[in-house]
C-alpha cells in the first residue's frame, strides 16, 4: 500500500480530473505555487488546501464524479494517511492475519507507535476470544508499555480493563482485581465515565468471585451511584448486589432485590432475566421452599434454552441443588449430566469444575466408588490443566483417602505423594 505525499495527491487529482496547473489558480494560489507543491518544494497551507479542495470538488461535480475530498486529506502526510488506514483496518471484527501482517509492515515503515499499541490491543482481543488468556495479557501488556512511552495514559483504562476481564475468564479473580483497580484509577484520572462504570462493575464481580462480599457490595453500590438504566450492565449490578446478600445468608433480602429488579426489566428477551430466574431458584432452595425454587429454575431453563444457551448449563447444574436437598440423587445426576454437556460445549470451565464437584459430593454420599473414582480423575485432569494447585492438592488428599478406605495402599501412597509434591 502506497500513501501519497501532499504534492503527489494534488498531481494525481489534477490528472484524474484532466486539469492543468493553471486551472487551479485562484487568489494567492499561483501556478508557480502549484508547481512547487507538486514537486515537494512547498507544503500546502490550510487556506490553500481549502481552495484546492473546492477546485477539485467543483470539477468532479461537473463530470458527475463523486470525489468528496477535503482540506484535511490534502494536508495529511503519508504517515498520517497510513495511520488512518491501519486504524480503520483494526476496527474490523473479522480482521485477518494477512491484514495484521500488512499493518505491522506499515508500522515499521512509518514508525506508527500509536498504531502499534492499537494492534497489540487488537491481537489481545483476538487471543481473548480464542480463550488464550495468557497470550491476550502478554499483548495487552505490550500495548500498555507503548502507551506509556508515548505518554498516552488516557488509553490505559481500557487496556487494564481487558486484562482484568481476561484474568477473570481464566478464573484468576485476585489478579483481575488488581487490573480492575488500575482501570478504575485511570478512568477517574482522565474523567472517562464509561471506563469508570465498567471497571467498577467488573471489580464488584471479581470481589464477589473472590468471596470478598463486603468489598463487592461496597463496589457495586459505587457503580450503581454513577450509573442509570441507560448503562447496559445497570440491571446486572442489582444482580451482583442480590448475589452478595445470598452469600451472606440474607435470602429474603436477596429475593426482594431480585423481585424489585424484575419490575425494572421491560424487555422480555433481556439476558438478565435468565440470571434473575436462576438466582431466585437458588435463594428459594436455600430457604427449603423447593416448590418455588423449582418453579424459578424451570423458568430460567425455558428462557435460556430459547434465548441464552451459553448459560443453560449453569442453570441445569445449579438446579440440581433442589434435588440434592431432597435426597433425589438420581434426578440430580441426570440434571448435572445434561448441564455438563452445555458447559463443555460452551467451554465454561468454572461450571464444569462446579458440576464435577457436585457429582463428587453425590457419589460420595451414595458410596458409589466406581463413579466417584471416575469423577475424581476427570476433576484432577481439569485442575491440572488450569494449574489450580491448591484445589488439586486437596483433591489428591481426598483421592488418597478413598483408596485407603478400599485398602488400596499403593494407590493411596501415590496420591499422597502427588499431593506433597504440590507444596
Amino acid at each position: 500500500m502506497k500513501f501519497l505525499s501532499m504534492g503527489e495527491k494534488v498531481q494525481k487529482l489534477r490528472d484524474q480530473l484532466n486539469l492543468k496547473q493553471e486551472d487551479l489558480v485562484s487568489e494567492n494560489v499561483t501556478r508557480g505555487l502549484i508547481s512547487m507543491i507538486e514537486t515537494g518544494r512547498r507544503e500546502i497551507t490550510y487556506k490553500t488546501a481549502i481552495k484546492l479542495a473546492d477546485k477539485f470538488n467543483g470539477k468532479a461535480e461537473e463530470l458527475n464524479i463523486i470525489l468528496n475530498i477535503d482540506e484535511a486529506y490534502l494536508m495529511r502526510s503519508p504517515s498520517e494517511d497510513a495511520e488512518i488506514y491501519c486504524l480503520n483496518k483494526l476496527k474490523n471484527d473479522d480482521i485477518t492475519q494477512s491484514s495484521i501482517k500488512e499493518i505491522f509492515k506499515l508500522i515499521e515503515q512509518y514508525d506508527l507507535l500509536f498504531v502499534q499499541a492499537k494492534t497489540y490491543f487488537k491481537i489481545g482481543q483476538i487471543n481473548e476470544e480464542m480463550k488464550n488468556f495468557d497470550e491476550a495479557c502478554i499483548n495487552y501488556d505490550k500495548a500498555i508499555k507503548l502507551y506509556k512511552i508515548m505518554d498516552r495514559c488516557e488509553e490505559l483504562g481500557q487496556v487494564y480493563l481487558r486484562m482484568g476481564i481476561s484474568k477473570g475468564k481464566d478464573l484468576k479473580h485476585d489478579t483481575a482485581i488488581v487490573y480492575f483497580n488500575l482501570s478504575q484509577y485511570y478512568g477517574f484520572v482522565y474523567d472517562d465515565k464509561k471506563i469508570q462504570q465498567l471497571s467498577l462493575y467488573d471489580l464488584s464481580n471479581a470481589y464477589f468471585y473472590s468471596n470478598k462480599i463486603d468489598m463487592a457490595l461496597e463496589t457495586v453500590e459505587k457503580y450503581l451511584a454513577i450509573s442509570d438504566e441507560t448503562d447496559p450492565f445497570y440491571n446486572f449490578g442489582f444482580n451482583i448486589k442480590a448475589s452478595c446478600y445470598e452469600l451472606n445468608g440474607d435470602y429474603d433480602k436477596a429475593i426482594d432485590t431480585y423481585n424489585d429488579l424484575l419490575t425494572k426489566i421491560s424487555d422480555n428477551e433481556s439476558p438478565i432475566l435468565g440470571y434473575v430466574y436462576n438466582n431466585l431458584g437458588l435463594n428459594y432452595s436455600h430457604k427449603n421452599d423447593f416448590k418455588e425454587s423449582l418453579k424459578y429454575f424451570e423458568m430460567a431453563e425455558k428462557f435460556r434454552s430459547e434465548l441464552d444457551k451459553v448459560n443453560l448449563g449453569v442453570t441445569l447444574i445449579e438446579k440440581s441443588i433442589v434435588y440434592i436437598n431432597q435426597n433425589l440423587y438420581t434426578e440430580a445426576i441426570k440434571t448435572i449430566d445434561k448441564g455438563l454437556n452445555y458447559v463443555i460445549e460452551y467451554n465454561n470451565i468454572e461450571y464444569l469444575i462446579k458440576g464435577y464437584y457436585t457429582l463428587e459430593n453425590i457419589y460420595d454420599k451414595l458410596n458409589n466408588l466406581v463413579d466417584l473414582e471416575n469423577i475424581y480423575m476427570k476433576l484432577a485432569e481439569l485442575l491440572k490443566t488450569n494449574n489450580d494447585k491448591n484445589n488439586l492438592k486437596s483433591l489428591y488428599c481426598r483421592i488418597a483417602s478413598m483408596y485407603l478406605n478400599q485398602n488400596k495402599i499403593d494407590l493411596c501412597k501415590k496420591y499422597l505423594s502427588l499431593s506433597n509434591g504440590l507444596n
Side-chain angles (χ1 to χ4, degrees):
M1 173 66 67
K2 176 175 171 55
F3 298 95
L4 304 178
S5 67
M6 297 178 189
E8 288 170 332
K9 289 176 184 178
V10 171
Q11 186 171 3
K12 183 179 179 182
L13 285 166
R14 188 169 59 75
D15 291 342
Q16 283 178 339
L17 297 170
N18 198 25
L19 289 168
K20 297 177 181 178
Q21 289 182 342
E22 291 86 347
D23 296 326
L24 299 179
V25 171
S26 62
E27 186 180 357
N28 295 325
V29 180
T30 64
R31 181 184 177 284
L33 177 60
I34 300 299
S35 178
M36 285 190 287
I37 288 171
E38 290 187 353
T39 54
R41 288 177 290 159
R42 287 283 294 273
E43 290 191 350
I44 302 176
T45 65
Y46 178 71
K47 289 181 179 179
T48 300
I50 291 175
K51 291 175 181 179
L52 290 175
D54 286 342
K55 289 279 187 180
F56 288 133
N57 286 319
K59 183 62 176 179
E61 189 175 344
E62 289 176 19
L63 299 173
N64 290 321
I65 297 172
I66 298 174
L67 193 61
N68 291 329
I69 63 120
D70 58 13
E71 63 277 7
Y73 168 73
L74 293 174
M75 295 179 70
R76 282 199 299 267
S77 67
S79 63
E80 289 170 328
D81 279 330
E83 178 170 293
I84 290 172
Y85 173 81
C86 292
L87 293 176
N88 284 332
K89 282 271 188 181
L90 290 170
K91 290 176 183 176
N92 185 358
D93 291 334
D94 300 318
I95 191 169
T96 62
Q97 283 297 320
S98 61
S99 291
I100 290 174
K101 285 181 181 177
E102 179 192 15
I103 289 169
F104 272 118
K105 285 181 182 177
L106 293 171
I107 288 167
E108 184 176 358
Q109 183 178 352
Y110 292 103
D111 194 25
L112 305 175
L113 277 185
F114 183 69
V115 172
Q116 189 175 4
K118 287 286 186 182
T119 305
Y120 282 130
F121 182 78
K122 184 70 173 183
I123 295 171
Q125 289 180 300
I126 293 169
N127 294 146
E128 188 182 325
E129 288 170 9
M130 295 173 67
K131 302 188 186 301
N132 297 328
F133 302 120
D134 288 338
E135 281 298 313
C137 287
I138 287 170
N139 282 291
Y140 290 144
D141 190 56
K142 288 178 181 178
I144 286 169
K145 287 174 180 174
L146 287 170
Y147 285 135
K148 287 181 176 178
I149 289 170
M150 292 181 286
D151 197 22
R152 296 289 296 267
C153 293
E154 69 274 11
E155 302 282 347
L156 297 182
Q158 176 68 20
V159 191
Y160 280 123
L161 182 72
R162 293 278 13 137
M163 289 184 82
I165 290 170
S166 289
K167 291 298 182 183
K169 288 177 179 177
D170 203 21
L171 307 183
K172 297 172 181 174
H173 300 296
D174 286 337
T175 308
I177 287 169
V178 174
Y179 290 129
F180 289 139
N181 272 312
L182 283 166
S183 176
Q184 180 190 174
Y185 168 79
Y186 284 104
F188 279 96
V189 166
Y190 291 98
D191 197 27
D192 188 331
K193 186 174 181 183
K194 187 162 186 64
I195 291 298
Q196 292 170 22
Q197 291 171 320
L198 289 171
S199 60
L200 284 169
Y201 172 79
D202 286 323
L203 180 60
S204 64
N205 247 329
Y207 280 134
F208 175 80
Y209 283 115
S210 298
N211 205 32
K212 298 171 181 175
I213 305 306
D214 290 341
M215 290 297 294
L217 272 171
E218 179 184 329
T219 306
V220 79
E221 290 290 6
K222 288 180 182 177
Y223 161 74
L224 292 170
I226 64 169
S227 306
D228 57 31
E229 290 84 352
T230 61
D231 186 81
F233 295 104
Y234 186 69
N235 288 337
F236 286 97
F238 284 98
N239 187 61
I240 294 172
K241 187 175 177 179
S243 296
C244 289
Y245 291 140
E246 177 191 345
L247 277 187
N248 279 339
D250 198 342
Y251 307 126
D252 288 328
K253 204 166 185 178
I255 289 168
D256 288 343
T257 303
Y258 284 126
N259 283 326
D260 286 344
L261 181 52
L262 284 175
T263 66
K264 300 177 187 292
I265 302 170
S266 56
D267 181 3
N268 291 331
E269 296 186 356
S270 172
I272 187 68
L273 284 170
Y275 290 92
V276 174
Y277 296 149
N278 186 95
N279 293 344
L280 278 168
L282 278 175
N283 279 277
Y284 278 114
S285 177
H286 296 321
K287 287 165 60 70
N288 293 326
D289 188 342
F290 302 123
K291 181 179 178 181
E292 200 70 6
S293 174
L294 200 57
K295 179 185 87 172
Y296 280 107
F297 272 124
E298 287 174 352
M299 288 170 69
E301 186 177 347
K302 181 176 185 298
F303 178 89
R304 285 179 161 170
S305 65
E306 294 172 357
L307 297 167
D308 187 19
K309 281 197 175 175
V310 172
N311 289 303
L312 179 56
V314 173
T315 288
L316 289 164
I317 288 168
E318 293 193 332
K319 180 183 176 183
S320 68
I321 192 174
V322 181
Y323 300 120
I324 293 169
N325 288 345
Q326 298 177 86
N327 299 323
L328 301 172
Y329 296 122
T330 301
E331 280 299 316
I333 291 168
K334 283 196 297 186
T335 303
I336 294 167
D337 283 341
K338 186 178 175 184
L340 288 174
N341 289 331
Y342 286 102
V343 298
I344 290 170
E345 179 181 354
Y346 293 104
N347 199 25
N348 187 333
I349 302 302
E350 179 185 358
Y351 271 83
L352 183 57
I353 292 171
K354 184 170 184 176
Y356 284 157
Y357 272 129
T358 308
L359 285 174
E360 176 204 357
N361 182 46
I362 293 171
Y363 293 140
D364 186 49
K365 285 182 179 178
L366 294 175
N367 199 32
N368 182 341
L369 298 180
V370 174
D371 285 331
L372 180 61
E373 183 179 24
N374 181 47
I375 210 69
Y376 273 148
M377 296 306 113
K378 289 182 178 179
L379 192 49
E381 191 60 34
L382 188 57
L383 293 175
K384 277 194 291 184
T385 301
N386 284 275
N387 199 30
D388 188 347
K389 291 183 179 180
N390 288 335
N391 283 318
L392 187 58
K393 180 179 174 64
S394 174
L395 180 69
Y396 282 153
C397 288
R398 296 200 299 281
I399 294 173
S401 178
M402 175 189 70
Y403 284 131
L404 179 63
N405 291 334
Q406 297 176 57
N407 204 30
K408 296 180 178 179
I409 304 304
D410 288 342
L411 285 171
C412 174
K413 288 179 179 178
K414 172 186 173 181
Y415 282 94
L416 282 176
S417 176
L418 286 171
S419 176
N420 290 332
L422 294 173
N423 287 334

